[in-house]
Structure formats: C-alpha cells, structure tokens
Amino acid sequence: MFQFTLNQTAAQSSKVVQFTLNDEVVTVSANKNLLEFLREDARLTSVKNGCAEGTCGSCTVLIDGRAWRACKLSVSKLEGKKVTTVEGLSEREKEVYSWAFGEVGAVQCGFCIPGIVMSAKALLDRTASPTDAEVKDAIENNLCRCTGYVKVEQAILLAAKAFRNGGTLFAEASVRVGARAVRPDAKEKVLGTGEFVDDMKVAGMLYGAVLRAKYPRAVVKKIDISAAQSCAGVELVLTAKDVPGERLLGLIVHDWPVMIAEGEETRYVGDALAILAATTKETARQALELIRVEYDELTPILTTAAAMAEGAPRLHPKGNLLSQTIMKRGDADKAIAGAKHVVTQHYSTPHQEHAFLEPESALAVPTECGSLTVYTGGQSVYDDHQGITEMLGVKGEKVRVISKYVGGGFGGKEDLSVQHHAALLAWHSGRPVKLTLSRLESFAVHPKRHPMEMECTTACDENGKIVAAKVRIVADTGAYASLGGPVLQRACTHAAGPYQIENVDIDGRAFYTNNPPSGAFRGFGVMQTCFAMESNLNLMAAKIGMSPWEIRFLNAIEPGGVLSNGQIADEGTALKETLLAVKDVIEAHPDAGVSCAFKNSGKGVGVLDIGRVKLKVENGGVVICTSAACMGQGIATVVLQIVAEATGLPKSALSVHAPDTMVTPDSGTSTASRQTLVTGEAARRAAEALNEDLSGHSLTELEGREYYREYDAITDPMTSDKPNRMSHIAYAYATQVVILDSEGRVKKVVAAHDVGKVINLNGVEGQIEGGVVMGLGYALTEEFPLENGVPTASLSTLGLMRSTQVPEIECIIIEKNQSELAYGAKGMGEIVCVATPPAVACAYFQRDGKRRNSLPLQETPYSADAAALKEFRAQKERLRQSEKSSS
Ligand code: FES
Ligand code: FES
C-alpha cells in the first residue's frame, strides 16, 4: 500500500481517503484535486494536464470503469472507488493499443493519446464491436488538435478487432520511403511513458511563476517585490534589472522584453513584469499576488486603423509599422482598366489560437560546472539556445538545450515563452526551476494567427482568363514583431494564388498594436490571402457563367508557367493534377465548394535555409542526429525512413536522437514546411555516404564512424532583379472540395494534394486530415475574442472541433515530382489547411449565392450554434453574477 502524505497542515485538515489506483490500494491524506494527485504525487505521466478546466480530456482516467476527467474531480470523492490510468492497463491492452495506434498512424504529438486510450477502453469494455458513431461519441470529450480524429477512430476500431480476434499482432511491413511506417515514438506516447517537459521532476526543483501586465498599455511606475520576497517558500523574485545580458529578444527583430522595466510601457497583457521561483506551485502562484505594481493606465491601440492614424502613439521606437511588402509584375492598374470583368471585395480574417494540447513548459537545471541545461518543448533548440545565451550574456557553451517531446506547435512554439524565464530563475538561484503555463496564460502569451483586412481586385478577360490581381493587405501584428515580417511576406507572395497572372500588384503592411502578438501559424499568412483570392474567383466565375472548377482549371499554373511572384513553375508542379483528381466529385456534386492553394516549402527569398544531419554508427546501429523539431508532424520518422531507403538498413538498426544542442547539428526551426525537404535531403546525403561504406563493410566494422551532410536550399531574395527569381525551392499544390448536407453542415471534404513524393503514407494522410479539420475550425467555428486587448476565451469557448463534428475526409495524393531532393518530397504540413476555408465559403456561395467575406463564416448552421452557445454562457454568467451579489 502506498502512503501519500502532503504537508503537515494539509494532512491535519483533511480526512484520509482510501481507493484503488491501478490495483494498488492508496491512502491519501489530502483533499486535493485528482489530476494533481496522479501527476505530482503518484507520478503517473500518462495523465496529462492540457487545460485543468475539464475541456481537453487529456487527463481522462477510468473510475469504476467510466471515463472521467481527473482535473474536475477531488480525491475526496473517491473513497472505495477503483481508478485506472494507462499505467494500470493489462499487458495485452498495452500491447494492443500501442500497436493499433502506431499501425494506423493515430499518434502525432501524442499529448492527447493516453486520455483517448482511456476513453476507448471505457467503450471497448462495454461494447466489443462498436460502430463508427459509437467510437466518435466515446471520444467526444477528448480534444485532438493534430489528427482530425480520423486515424484515432480507425485505431480504436482496429484495437477492438484485435481484442475480439486475439492472437498475435502483425508487425509493420516496411519503413522504406512510401510505406505506412510506424513512428518510433508511437508506443511511448500511447503508454504515456515518453516525457514531455512538465512530466519531469528533478531533485531540489523549484516552480516558477510569472507576473503579467494588468493592462495592455500602461506605464509601469513601480514594481514592489519585497512582500513576495519575504514569503515563506519563495526562493527568489526577479525583475528586469536582474537580466544580465540582452533584455530585448526576438527571432528576427529584437523588440520583446524579457521583462518590462520600471518606467517602461506594457504592450500587451502577456508581458512579464516579474518572475519568481518557490518550493511549491501553490506558493509560487500565491506569491505573485504579493507583488505590488503601480501603473499609469494608457489608452491601448487595439486596431490597425488606430495604429496607423495620424499622431498615434508610437508603440515601438521606430513607430507602429513593423514591415511592408510590395510585389509588382506588369501593370495591374492598366490591365484592370481594360478587363472585361472585374471583382473587388473586402475580406476580414480574425485571430486564431493554435490550441496545441501541451501548454508551454521549460525546466532549467544548473550544472556543477556553472552552466545550464534547459529542457524545452519548442520548435528549435538552437533558437531557444540563442535567446537564452543572449539574455544571460554568456558564451554558447554555457547553455545546453535539449528537447523533450513537443505536444503540438503549429507555429505557436517558435518564440520564447517560458524557456528564458526558467533559465533566468535557475541561473540566479542555482537550483532547477520548472515553469509551466496554465492554459489561460498560454493563450495570453504566445503569438496568434494575424488578423488581416484585405482589399482584393481580380480582373478577367471575356473567357475567364485572369489578367490582373491587385491586393492590399493590412495585418495586425500585435505587441511584438515575432515572425510578423515573414508572415506578411508569405501572405503577399501567395496573394494572387497558384495561377498564371501577368499583372500583379500586391502591397501589404503589418502594424503593431496592443493586442497579443501575431506570428507563425500553420499556413503562415497564406490562409488569409488564399481565402480572399479564392473567394474573388467564385464571384468571378458566377459573373462569367463558369463553374468554380472551370475558372481554376483554366488559370491553373503548369510546369514552365510563371507564378505571380515571377518564379517559373518546375516540372514537379501538379496543380492541374489535383484539379483533375476531384473532377468526378465536382461533376457528381455540382453545388460543391472548391478551392485551390499553393504553399512554399522552405524559408526561401534568399534566407539561409540549411538542413543538417549527422549519422553516428554506435553499438551496432545508426543514430540519426538532427535538431529538426518534431512537434507531432513526424520529421523523426521521415529522416528514419530516408536513411532506411538509402542504406537498406532495417528499422531495428536505426534510432533518432532527440534535438540537443550538444549532440545534434542545427537544422533550423520547424517552420515553412521545410524539414521534410531540407533536413530530409541532408539525411539522404548522409545516408548515401554511409551506404558507400556499407558496400564493403559491416556496421560493426564501421563502429564509431560519423557521416555528416548538409543541404543548403539556395533561393533569391525579394530584392533580386532577376526576371524570374527563384523565390522558394519548392511549392506544394492542392485542390479541396467541400460537400454540404441538406442542413448546410459539411458532409464531406475531398482533399487532393500534390506532395511531390510520399515518404510516410500514414504521416501524409494524418497531416491532411488534421489540417482539414483545423481549416474547418478557422472557417466555421473558431474564435479568439479580445476585450480591450485581453483574451476572453477559454479552451471550451474557442470552438475547436470535436470528433462528432468532423465530416468524412477523403485524401487523394498526387506524386509527380522527379526531383532527387529528399526523393522528391515537398513539405506539406501547412498547405493542408490553406484551401479549406475558401472551399467551405465556395460551398455556401454555390448553395445560396450569398457572399461571406469574413471568418468564421456567418449564416451557417455552425454560426447559429455558436450564437446559441454564446447566449447560454452569457445567461450562466449573469446568473452567477446575480447569485454572487445576493450572497
Ligand atoms: S486537463 Fe482535464 S480536461 Fe483538460
Ligand atoms: S496527437 Fe492529438 S493533440 Fe497531438
């Protein structure tokens, strides 16, 4: 029997509770939250904390056989009950679930998976042969932001079959390029044994907490930390003056303060004013309330119109304009003036929250030789390393950054959020410090998708041939630059769509405001402009009397054609193939919505873009070393498959090292759909070098050898005067079709994608399915409202799609690219969601002829749901307020 005892006071004040946890009787002398107990005291890492508000289901456990969310339960309710977590499954159950989820590719970031497994077990213990609908219902309370639930449901059905049939589970056939390879991390993620940062606990560890700004714009007159400093259990409290090195950080523009100093202005409510570390999480949180801050509140700038107004206060020394991108070819004004048909429309797109399931967490551990090891879950250990060393003012070797598993990112984990604060606290205290954000803090802190206002003009001749596109874009980049400049650039370079247009005039500007920063988010600016351009094409097609499919096919880029940015489309260009692949569907459903998209692979525009891989022959196997971050998208599996393909080595001989600045070479950040192509090509080159040696030697004979290769994706800068500058090393293309049911809900999405060459078929389908659902959310259900610059959403009100809302998704994969780079693979992590919103808008337009120029789309059954839910919540809040005031 385990005896868990909290501190003396708690033990005295709470009654003892006894229940069975995974077949062990436990006695708990605390009336505490079940999730806290399971994670912190019982150290069961399969039970995840994704929200602590009962929304995500990552903490799902069984209580007497029924699925419950542990974060919503007090231990005091468990007397005599039986609590089961993934750790308590039988060996057969562990084997079946990890096999089934791995086999079908249901695991991406994996943060949600143990909770889903427990919901699945609750179902399969009652129903041996569940229907598809029963599976959807069973996991309705589990959010998954990566998979779109499709493969998760397949995995549960496969597990059910395996339980029914018994016997041996067959092993994966191959890990060679093109196979349905099982991810090397699948089992650990299913069973919850693979560590995310917040699962870590080290001896003497302190807990960090951050005091954030009360107002989005205010002068901080004084910060008094004395009461917090003298609070029992608080080890140290730091403010801006404790930053030894650079205080302004940023991925490109250094404008984001580690902490706001006295006398400075806050720029958004995620700004840090003070940080502290204490012996317990509770003490850390309580001590924050003892910090006194005197403010002079100022009127915040909450719109781009206010930011660009004459005489507007300057939020940054150089003013409120972060960046401007201009892209011109031909003479758009002249072509528009002479065109037969012209469509001009204004479009608006909102903030969108990434809602990765794992809130940000970092653990910084001082070493005996005076350096720091920082465990993170971000999108580049080298970017984290650079920010931390700049902040500390130390040489690179003083800091080592190691990545643990990353519970989703989608662009939202590119900037520093917790890494620098944990490092600073550990640096000053000499003790390990872990800092994990709550869900609401996570919402407040990390950058969002840019809201954009777009004026889009498209001109055609009498046959529907597009002769000009003119687009004006104004983006709200929020408080700090983050990646606002490159996002705006991609919005502009893709604004005219994947079409052959000779006259293009694009002008985009991004302005600072006091809203949360906007930055990288899957689609990277292209989501917004694709929605505008594609919606214009629907109107144009209707004007001319063509179908939406016909106008796209007529104008689609082909190999040898010139893209609107001047780049000549290469032989691997397969937009027309994606259109042809959905032709039958369109013919069968003439009122279906259709949309095309293209998206760059790689950073492009002359920016340094190098993939690096080192293969180490070690203990009779090959360790693949690269810092390319896997946030769930599967780059570790991709490089493993590429090495297997080039060498013929079996999976059992191959392993992938976690990103680690001491061990793995810098392969750049996981952004711009670049890793499969750029790091994949570096892996292919290194593996071919190894393969040459393997022709005359065994692995044992090569023990200790290393094979290092890199691939530099060279492109031309935006300023290049070449007539056909190479903007990006590759582009992926797509056509998506949306079919509505009789009520106006999305019944089916057909997604045809030009991926160049499939590396992992499970991975490609998983990206498409997850991306389509994310795109549907952006189009129909998701909102991230702000009130005076303050986010008001909780995870439950974001509008994330649940399993029961997801329509059928059919993936059609086109492989045409003959390039030898990474065997022809193009990155496709982002394009998967880009075409979805305009395809949905097109479907509604086809049905009722109404223009819907803003997102989320209005006058749909989903907007009616959202309005009803809003009203219900408002009523609840009114009731709560009136009860509060009467009591
Ligand atoms: S952590 Fe319990 S539902 Fe999210
Ligand atoms: S795999 Fe479900 S949230 Fe990432």
Side-chain angles (χ1 to χ4, degrees):
M1 181 188 292
F2 296 141
Q3 183 81 33
F4 294 101
T5 308
L6 289 176
N7 61 52
Q8 204 58 27
T9 324
Q12 282 158 0
S13 66
S14 67
K15 67 175 189 170
V16 168
V17 178
Q18 203 167 63
F19 60 93
T20 306
L21 174 60
N22 295 335
D23 293 331
E24 299 263 14
V25 174
V26 296
T27 302
V28 185
S29 56
N31 186 1
K32 72 185 304 187
N33 174 272
L34 177 59
L35 176 61
E36 282 287 308
F37 166 71
L38 293 173
R39 284 187 59 79
E40 302 302 325
D41 301 342
R43 303 290 300 127
L44 297 175
T45 53
S46 77
V47 193
K48 305 292 187 201
N49 183 350
C51 68
E53 65 171 52
T55 300
C56 73
S58 304
C59 63
T60 303
V61 299
L62 298 194
I63 298 176
D64 290 347
R66 279 188 57 201
W68 287 87
R69 280 155 285 179
C71 66
K72 296 302 284 177
L73 282 175
S74 160
V75 166
S76 64
K77 302 265 175 8
L78 298 178
E79 183 65 43
K81 306 241 182 250
K82 186 171 183 307
V83 177
T84 311
T85 69
V86 168
E87 288 84 349
L89 297 180
S90 70
E91 285 312 308
R92 174 68 178 168
E93 286 173 316
K94 286 181 181 173
E95 183 189 24
V96 167
Y97 284 118
S98 29
W99 166 77
F101 276 69
E103 199 63 30
V104 303
V107 181
Q108 290 190 30
C109 83
F111 195 81
C112 65
I113 299 295
I116 288 178
V117 167
M118 295 318 289
S119 294
K121 175 175 163 59
L123 170 71
L124 301 189
D125 284 355
R126 311 191 287 276
T127 316
S129 301
T131 61
D132 293 2
E134 284 170 329
V135 170
K136 278 182 183 294
D137 279 347
I139 59 167
E140 193 185 23
N141 289 328
N142 297 89
L143 285 175
C144 174
R145 190 61 158 161
C146 301
T147 66
Y149 308 99
V150 180
K151 296 204 181 303
V152 163
E153 290 160 17
Q154 289 169 0
I156 295 170
L157 291 167
L158 185 61
K161 194 169 160 195
F163 286 128
R164 287 196 305 273
N165 294 349
T168 316
L169 307 169
F170 61 83
E172 64 182 344
S174 164
V175 288
R176 300 288 280 272
V177 164
R180 286 191 181 277
V182 174
R183 300 170 64 110
D185 55 7
K187 186 172 182 183
E188 280 198 326
K189 286 179 171 176
V190 171
L191 300 182
T193 52
E195 274 186 335
F196 294 83
V197 178
D198 194 50
D199 296 329
M200 299 177 76
K201 218 172 188 180
V202 297
M205 188 175 89
L206 300 170
Y207 294 86
V210 182
L211 183 74
R212 310 265 170 206
K214 189 170 173 192
Y215 306 104
R217 183 162 172 253
V219 176
V220 176
K221 290 169 66 185
K222 189 167 172 46
I223 304 171
D224 179 0
I225 58 171
S226 54
Q229 256 172 335
S230 55
C231 174
V234 172
E235 185 75 13
L236 80 169
V237 187
L238 304 175
T239 60
K241 51 184 176 295
D242 300 305
V243 176
E246 282 286 324
R247 196 169 57 84
L248 297 182
L249 302 176
L251 290 166
I252 299 172
V253 180
H254 285 218
D255 64 356
W256 199 331
V258 174
M259 281 178 274
I260 302 284
E262 284 180 346
E264 278 184 343
E265 266 183 37
T266 63
R267 295 190 183 86
Y268 84 122
V269 289
D271 273 328
L273 269 54
I275 57 177
L276 61 82
T279 47
T280 69
K281 271 195 252 184
E282 294 69 31
T283 309
R285 270 187 227 123
Q286 285 159 9
L288 287 182
E289 290 171 23
L290 301 175
I291 300 174
R292 297 277 163 259
V293 183
E294 282 177 37
Y295 295 97
D296 256 352
E297 195 182 350
L298 301 169
T299 306
I301 293 184
L302 301 174
T303 63
T304 49
M308 68 175 94
E310 188 73 30
R314 295 162 85 86
L315 299 184
H316 287 271
K318 78 175 186 95
N320 295 341
L321 178 67
L322 166 67
S323 70
Q324 180 168 23
T325 296
I326 294 173
M327 198 182 87
K328 282 191 179 190
R329 285 183 61 241
D331 187 340
D333 284 334
K334 191 171 161 202
I336 291 166
K340 174 83 176 164
H341 303 285
V342 177
V343 170
T344 299
Q345 291 290 311
H346 186 94
Y347 297 91
S348 303
T349 60
H351 282 109
Q352 189 187 16
E353 159 61 31
H354 304 75
F356 35 73
L357 263 279
E358 178 211 18
E360 298 89 334
S361 183
L363 167 64
V365 183
T367 67
E368 279 172 9
C369 54
S371 62
L372 273 187
T373 301
V374 187
Y375 298 91
T376 66
Q379 294 185 214
S380 166
V381 285
Y382 280 90
D383 283 354
D384 292 350
H385 180 267
Q386 181 163 348
I388 294 167
T389 50
E390 283 171 358
M391 173 193 69
L392 294 176
V394 297
K395 293 214 167 77
E397 63 269 20
K398 280 284 186 189
V399 176
R400 174 183 187 180
V401 181
I402 299 173
S403 181
K404 306 301 286 183
Y405 283 143
V406 186
F410 313 112
K413 290 181 179 170
E414 292 206 33
D415 301 86
L416 291 174
S417 54
V418 284
Q419 303 89 325
H420 53 333
H421 290 152
L424 192 61
L425 287 164
W427 187 257
H428 281 288
S429 66
R431 290 179 61 178
V433 178
K434 184 165 78 175
L435 175 60
T436 302
L437 299 188
S438 70
R439 176 54 66 178
L440 292 185
E441 230 179 337
S442 169
F443 280 1
V445 172
H446 68 252
K448 314 294 166 214
R449 191 185 297 288
H450 281 77
M452 289 190 191
E453 297 297 323
M454 295 162 285
E455 186 87 4
C456 184
T457 297
T458 315
C460 281
D461 67 13
E462 61 281 8
N463 300 316
K465 185 89 190 74
I466 308 170
V467 295
K470 181 171 179 176
V471 187
R472 294 291 176 264
I473 303 164
V474 175
D476 177 353
T477 211
Y480 299 108
S482 180
L483 289 169
V487 167
L488 179 73
Q489 224 178 45
R490 291 296 73 67
C492 291
T493 54
H494 290 66
Y499 305 109
Q500 309 211 46
I501 308 173
E502 285 176 12
N503 302 290
V504 180
D505 176 357
I506 318 288
D507 187 337
R509 290 173 296 159
F511 289 93
Y512 287 115
T513 65
N514 292 116
N515 291 324
S518 303
F521 194 160
R522 193 182 208 176
F524 212 80
V526 185
M527 289 286 274
Q528 295 93 320
T529 49
C530 179
F531 170 64
M533 177 66 183
E534 292 292 306
S535 297
N536 254 21
L537 280 191
N538 300 333
L539 296 174
M540 184 65 87
K543 226 173 171 175
I544 303 171
M546 300 175 88
S547 78
W549 186 92
E550 285 167 336
I551 197 167
R552 286 167 171 86
F553 192 76
L554 176 71
N555 289 286
I557 190 78
E558 291 179 281
V562 182
L563 285 161
S564 52
N565 57 24
Q567 181 163 344
I568 295 173
D570 61 28
E571 283 306 306
T573 300
L575 177 61
K576 281 206 158 171
E577 285 79 351
T578 66
L579 274 157
L580 289 168
V582 302
K583 195 164 181 237
D584 288 355
V585 186
I586 294 285
E587 279 167 3
H589 301 88
D591 63 345
V594 65
S595 174
C596 293
F598 75 138
K599 180 74 185 69
N600 56 293
S601 295
K603 292 181 184 173
V605 294
V607 175
L608 200 64
D609 196 5
I610 303 179
R612 299 183 176 93
V613 168
K614 182 166 69 183
L615 303 179
K616 287 173 32 172
V617 183
E618 223 172 70
N619 303 322
V622 177
V623 183
I624 304 165
C625 299
T626 174
S627 68
C630 178
M631 306 94 71
Q633 84 281 23
I635 184 62
T637 320
V638 163
V639 291
L640 187 144
Q641 288 182 267
I642 286 176
V643 174
E645 179 71 26
T647 60
L649 289 168
K651 187 179 180 184
S652 56
L654 303 172
S655 59
V656 185
H657 202 288
D660 178 340
T661 53
M662 282 262 286
V663 180
T664 59
D666 185 359
S667 214
T669 186
S670 288
T671 191
S673 304
R674 62 182 288 278
Q675 294 292 14
T676 293
L677 199 167
V678 177
T679 300
E681 172 59 9
R684 188 183 71 87
R685 292 177 179 193
E688 285 189 346
L690 165 63
N691 197 43
E692 272 181 31
D693 283 1
L694 280 173
S695 62
H697 304 89
S698 68
L699 263 186
T700 317
E701 288 167 334
L702 298 177
E703 183 71 20
R705 293 225 189 151
E706 293 186 352
Y707 300 83
Y708 171 82
R709 291 291 184 278
E710 54 184 50
Y711 166 62
D712 187 356
I714 296 169
T715 50
D716 297 320
M718 292 284 285
T719 50
S720 163
D721 56 5
K722 291 183 189 169
N724 297 106
R725 66 184 176 84
M726 185 192 263
S727 181
H728 287 87
I729 205 74
Y731 289 98
Y733 296 87
T735 301
Q736 292 190 2
V737 176
V738 166
I739 300 165
L740 301 178
D741 67 13
S742 55
E743 273 180 46
R745 292 186 187 274
V746 178
K747 184 174 160 196
K748 182 171 179 179
V749 179
V750 181
H753 281 259
D754 159 27
V755 303
K757 169 83 182 158
V758 170
I759 303 291
N760 184 0
L761 190 49
N762 277 344
V764 165
E765 289 175 353
Q767 287 298 301
I768 294 173
E769 290 154 358
V772 163
V773 174
M774 193 176 261
L776 288 174
Y778 186 51
L780 292 165
T781 58
E782 291 188 33
E783 287 188 90
F784 188 74
L786 301 172
E787 227 174 83
N788 272 329
V790 182
T792 56
S794 68
L795 194 64
S796 67
T797 62
L798 275 188
L800 303 177
M801 285 209 159
R802 293 193 175 270
S803 55
T804 45
Q805 293 173 286
V806 169
E808 183 188 350
I809 300 169
E810 181 185 341
C811 304
I812 301 175
I813 293 161
I814 315 290
E815 292 178 281
K816 178 185 172 189
N817 197 18
Q818 297 302 314
S819 164
E820 65 168 9
L821 296 177
Y823 294 107
K826 303 175 184 181
M828 43 79 68
E830 293 180 280
I831 190 171
V832 288
C833 54
V834 175
T836 318
V840 178
C842 181
Y844 286 109
F845 181 67
Q846 290 288 91
R847 175 159 294 200
D848 62 19
K850 287 187 190 166
R851 283 184 285 109
R852 291 171 175 82
N853 289 6
S854 59
L855 297 176
L857 301 170
Q858 294 306 304
E859 294 188 62
T860 74
Y862 301 89
S863 57
D865 292 350
L869 193 66
K870 218 181 252 174
E871 180 48 31
F872 172 71
R873 288 210 183 91
Q875 273 180 18
K876 249 174 79 176
E877 181 59 20
R878 282 196 292 273
L879 190 67
R880 201 180 65 81
Q881 292 296 346
S882 79
E883 278 172 5
K884 205 169 139 193
S885 58
S886 59
S887 70

